[in-house]
């Protein structure tokens, strides 16, 4: 009987995309628990608000591009934030078919309260690394981002 080549096996615990995804989801969930309890804002809604806090007056499509969120997640988050009064939508002056999104006064108030919570959680996480490790992590993330998406920066 001829030798058959062995099939490659996948060990998720050693598969970088899986490990990055689980780590990202865990970190995001831990931070989200802090602001979800206080403000009733989901991870997806916070991502939309965070983008609008930095880039007011953009479309849902642009939010999806910046966050790498899929259209359905962006649409649900935007819908919930519109319903809760955290964001507003208006037609673009250049193209009435485009809906421009902005934080409302209520949204800005919540944004201003969540930012220190998010930054504190990031600080607590990053402090588990030495300054050299922090620099290495930043450099490695940049390198992986360029390899994953060579045609455009991810952040």
């Amino acid at each position: 009987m001829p030798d058959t080549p062995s099939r490659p096996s996948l060990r998720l615990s050693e598969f970088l995309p899986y490990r990055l995804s689980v780590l990202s989801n865990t970190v995001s969930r831990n931070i989200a628990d802090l602001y979800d309890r206080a403000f009733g804002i989901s991870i997806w809604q916070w991502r939309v608000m965070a983008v609008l806090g930095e880039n007011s007056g953009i479309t849902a499509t642009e939010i999806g591009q910046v966050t790498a969120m899929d259209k359905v997640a962006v649409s649900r988050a935007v819908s919930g934030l519109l319903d809760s009064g955290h964001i507003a939508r208006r037609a673009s002056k250049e193209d009435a078919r485009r809906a421009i999104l902005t934080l409302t006064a209520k949204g800005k108030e919540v944004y201003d309260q969540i930012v220190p919570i998010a930054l504190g959680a990031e600080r607590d996480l990053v402090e588990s690394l030495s300054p050299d490790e922090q620099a290495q992590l930043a450099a490695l993330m940049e390198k992986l981002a360029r390899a994953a998406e060579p045609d455009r920066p991810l952040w």
Side-chain angles (χ1 to χ4, degrees), residues 79-141:
S79 179
L81 291 167
L82 287 166
D83 290 347
S84 65
H86 290 98
I87 66 172
R89 175 174 42 206
R90 65 172 168 75
S92 166
K93 292 176 184 165
E94 295 81 31
D95 182 351
R97 296 170 296 177
R98 294 180 68 225
I100 303 299
L101 302 171
T102 57
L103 291 174
T104 61
K106 177 181 179 181
K108 287 176 187 171
E109 182 179 319
V110 170
Y111 173 87
D112 289 342
Q113 292 177 60
I114 293 177
V115 166
I117 294 169
L119 291 174
E122 177 198 34
R123 183 182 57 252
D124 292 346
L125 183 65
V126 171
E127 284 178 350
S128 70
L129 303 173
S130 71
D132 285 345
E133 289 170 330
Q134 291 175 36
Q136 289 172 349
L137 177 60
L140 291 170
M141 287 179 60

Side-chain angles (χ1 to χ4, degrees), residues 45-102:
Q45 289 172 331
W46 169 242
R47 286 188 185 161
V48 168
M49 290 179 68
V51 170
L52 291 175
E54 262 189 41
N55 308 287
S56 188
I58 63 173
T59 67
T61 300
E62 292 167 321
I63 291 170
Q65 292 166 347
V66 170
T67 61
M69 288 169 56
D70 66 61
K71 284 183 175 184
V72 173
V74 173
S75 178
R76 286 186 183 147
V78 165
S79 179
L81 291 167
L82 287 166
D83 290 347
S84 65
H86 290 98
I87 66 172
R89 175 174 42 206
R90 65 172 168 75
S92 166
K93 292 176 184 165
E94 295 81 31
D95 182 351
R97 296 170 296 177
R98 294 180 68 225
I100 303 299
L101 302 171
T102 57

